[in-house]
């Protein structure tokens, strides 16, 4: 019996080490860093910063061009936070919700539109950061830390009374819910982006001329929806933590 248990655990650890495809790793202070993810993440961040600097360099009372577009985007992201968190408490959380949405949205579109395969690496190939489970888990954990911070900053230690509300019988379920939230956020985003890229790649190999275009268009729409879902759920969880329970 003990040998069977040991064999099962050993098999589980072996499965956890399996990798799909080749990856570019950087060795830093004895740690392995996923080079592909860092490269594209930095490029996405640089593009967002450059767009922001250009759009806010010459602000006018009557917005035009890029400034007009940026104000529209800001109002859209502000409405997400306001609708989910509430009129009175949403403002401090707009930067976080906006950052999450813009990073995921730009990463998804970059992975779908830019021909990363043309850039040769020593190992592996560049792709959207959001098709890596480490990135989506990190984003989900940031959301978890955010709503814990929101609840504790407003209610103090009394925030944890929600675990026994409305009855102490629900304590295990309420605790489990805090584990399932980041899991659902991360795996939903990771699974959809990875599946979209795999479908487009397969169609491009089988029918490389016209058929992949509608699939790519659908993928862009799905990528946008995933960014909206992630940011909306993040705002909803923060709003739930700030909500007064009676």
């Amino acid at each position: 019996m003990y040998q069977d248990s040991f064999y099962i655990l050993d098999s589980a650890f072996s499965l956890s080490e399996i990798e799909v495809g080749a990856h570019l790793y950087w060795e830093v202070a004895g740690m392995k860093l996923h080079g592909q993810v860092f490269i594209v993440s930095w490029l996405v961040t640089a593009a967002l910063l450059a767009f922001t600097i250009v759009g806010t360099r010459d602000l006018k009372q009557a917005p035009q061009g890029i400034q007009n577009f940026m104000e529209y985007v800001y109002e859209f992201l502000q409405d997400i936070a306001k609708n989910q968190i509430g009129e009175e408490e949403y403002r401090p959380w707009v930067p976080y919700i906006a950052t999450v949405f813009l990073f995921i949205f730009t990463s998804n579109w970059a992975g779908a539109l830019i021909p990363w395969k043309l850039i040769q690496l020593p190992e592996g190939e560049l792709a959207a950061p959001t098709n890596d489970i480490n990135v989506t888990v990190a984003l989900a954990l940031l959301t978890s830390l955010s709503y814990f911070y929101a609840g504790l900053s407003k209610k103090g230690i009394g925030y944890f009374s929600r675990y026994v509300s409305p009855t102490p019988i629900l304590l295990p379920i309420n605790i489990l819910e805090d584990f399932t939230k980041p899991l659902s956020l991360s795996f939903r985003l990771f699974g959809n982006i990875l599946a979209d890229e795999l479908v487009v790649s397969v169609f491009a190999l089988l029918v490389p001329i016209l058929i992949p275009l509608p699939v790519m268009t659908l993928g862009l729409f799905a990528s946008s929806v995933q960014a909206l879902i992630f940011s909306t759920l993040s705002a909803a969880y923060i709003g739930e933590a700030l909500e007064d329970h009676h």
Side-chain angles (χ1 to χ4, degrees), residues 57-77:
R57 185 171 51 186
D58 184 24
L59 295 178
K60 298 178 180 178
Q61 191 69 27
Q64 297 177 348
I66 296 180
Q67 181 187 344
N68 192 34
F69 175 73
M70 289 189 65
E71 290 191 10
Y72 170 78
V73 172
Y74 176 78
E75 290 176 2
F76 170 74
L77 298 173

Side-chain angles (χ1 to χ4, degrees), residues 95-105 139 142-143 227 230-231 234:
Y96 175 72
I97 302 302
T99 300
V100 167
F101 176 88
L102 291 174
F103 178 78
I104 295 175
F105 179 86
L139 291 171
L142 281 175
T143 293
F230 195 103
S231 56
S234 296

Side-chain angles (χ1 to χ4, degrees), residues 9-88:
L9 289 174
D10 183 63
S11 300
F13 282 115
S14 299
L15 286 172
S16 67
E17 296 175 356
I18 294 176
E19 296 184 6
V20 179
H23 298 282
L24 174 66
Y25 288 108
W26 295 334
E27 291 280 350
V28 178
M31 297 185 297
K32 278 188 175 182
L33 303 180
H34 201 319
Q36 295 146 281
V37 170
F38 276 95
I39 291 172
V40 182
S41 296
W42 289 338
L43 291 174
V44 167
T45 304
L48 289 172
L49 287 175
F51 190 80
T52 302
I53 292 171
V54 171
T56 58
R57 185 171 51 186
D58 184 24
L59 295 178
K60 298 178 180 178
Q61 191 69 27
Q64 297 177 348
I66 296 180
Q67 181 187 344
N68 192 34
F69 175 73
M70 289 189 65
E71 290 191 10
Y72 170 78
V73 172
Y74 176 78
E75 290 176 2
F76 170 74
L77 298 173
Q78 183 178 250
D79 286 341
I80 293 176
K82 184 189 297 185
N83 292 334
Q84 300 300 324
I85 298 175
E87 184 76 33
E88 299 178 356

